[in-house]
Amino acid sequence: MSVLAHVFERAGLATVALASIRGQAANAEPPRALYCEFPIGRPLGKPNEPDFQTEVIRAAFGLLDRTDVP
């Protein structure tokens, strides 16, 4: 996850990782990451909750302009 994010960032593409395991994301040090405290395999939350899932995606997109966060 982090290696590709860094490659894309160097090419001028902003990235955001959705992380289910905070420690793993911290160790990988992606340019930007949104920690989602959901079960592994459900980075957007419970199935069939499109309004909530949309909010998670919006939160992730909100990180795109930031450079002060991993």
Side-chain angles (χ1 to χ4, degrees):
M1 136 177 101
S2 181
V3 172
L4 282 178
H6 286 285
V7 169
F8 290 148
E9 293 273 339
R10 273 181 280 192
L13 299 170
T15 62
V16 176
L18 297 179
S20 296
I21 303 172
R22 183 185 295 254
Q24 185 177 11
N27 288 337
E29 298 180 343
R32 285 168 217 81
L34 177 65
Y35 172 62
C36 303
E37 195 171 357
F38 308 128
I40 294 176
R42 294 188 176 173
L44 300 179
K46 295 179 183 176
N48 302 315
E49 291 190 5
D51 292 337
F52 181 78
Q53 293 168 344
T54 298
E55 289 303 312
V56 174
I57 292 170
R58 284 188 176 144
F61 284 161
L63 296 175
L64 287 174
D65 291 329
R66 296 183 60 183
T67 58
D68 63 324
V69 295

